[in-house]
Amino acid sequence: MENIGIRPVRPAELAAVATLRWEWLVENGSADLGEREDFVRHFVTWAEENANSHRCLVLVRDDRVIGMAWLAVVQRVPTPRAPRRASGDLQCVYVVPEARDGGLGGRLIQAVLDAAHRLGLERVTVHSSPRAIPAYARGGFQESPRLLQAQVTRA
């Protein structure tokens, strides 16, 4: 029986998470990525600097990180009845190819939603690839006619 768990990332695992992000970019056809080691260093620094707003959960098999998901928390403008409000954005969900299609991605999505609930977030949004839409729908995500977006710049 495999030892699989989901938990917050540990500081020593940020390089492994950065490598997963790199693999996601390569897998999705990104070109001109530069040097992987430079990206990993930058990513680790970014994750440390943004730990208050971006929470990372990792999917771990034995002691190896095989998946990740990020919850970006955004403070919202207060109202008289809700002086402290926040919403979340589920970002960068990734499971290594050899561990896919067994429900682990769904477990990771649910773990992020559970964390959002504990934080009292009003809602969680996600920008999905076409392949992942069914997984998010199974997790409770729905299309919303009121949630709009404008592409301001292309990174």
Side-chain angles (χ1 to χ4, degrees):
M1 182 170 172
E2 291 183 298
N3 183 18
I4 294 179
I6 297 172
R7 59 170 168 70
V9 69
R10 296 175 180 154
E13 296 168 329
L14 288 173
V17 169
T19 301
L20 292 180
R21 178 63 172 154
W22 179 271
E23 290 173 9
W24 184 94
L25 293 166
V26 170
E27 187 178 317
N28 286 281
S30 294
D32 302 323
L33 295 174
E35 295 297 321
R36 188 175 95 171
E37 295 77 20
D38 292 340
F39 174 76
V40 169
R41 268 193 306 280
H42 171 76
F43 189 100
V44 168
T45 300
W46 174 88
E48 292 167 345
E49 291 172 350
N50 292 280
N52 288 334
S53 62
H54 289 71
R55 292 160 170 83
C56 179
L57 294 179
V58 290
L59 175 65
V60 180
R61 176 184 288 143
D62 297 317
D63 287 321
R64 180 176 167 242
V65 175
I66 61 168
M68 67 175 169
W70 291 80
L71 177 62
V73 178
V74 177
Q75 298 302 313
R76 296 181 49 92
V77 176
T79 68
R81 290 192 177 147
R84 298 186 83 43
R85 300 171 61 215
S87 62
D89 189 53
L90 178 54
Q91 301 178 351
C92 207
V93 177
Y94 182 79
V95 175
V96 295
E98 63 271 16
R100 290 183 190 154
D101 299 322
L104 295 176
R107 286 178 53 191
L108 201 47
I109 291 166
Q110 188 58 54
V112 169
L113 293 175
D114 291 345
H117 180 75
R118 286 190 302 276
L119 291 168
L121 303 186
E122 293 179 5
R123 76 175 67 81
V124 176
T125 58
V126 66
H127 182 260
S128 180
S129 67
R131 182 186 187 278
I133 290 173
Y136 293 116
R138 284 190 301 274
F141 285 85
Q142 303 172 1
E143 290 185 35
S144 169
R146 294 179 22 175
L147 183 63
L148 308 173
Q149 69 176 10
Q151 183 104 14
V152 179
T153 185
R154 186 79 171 139

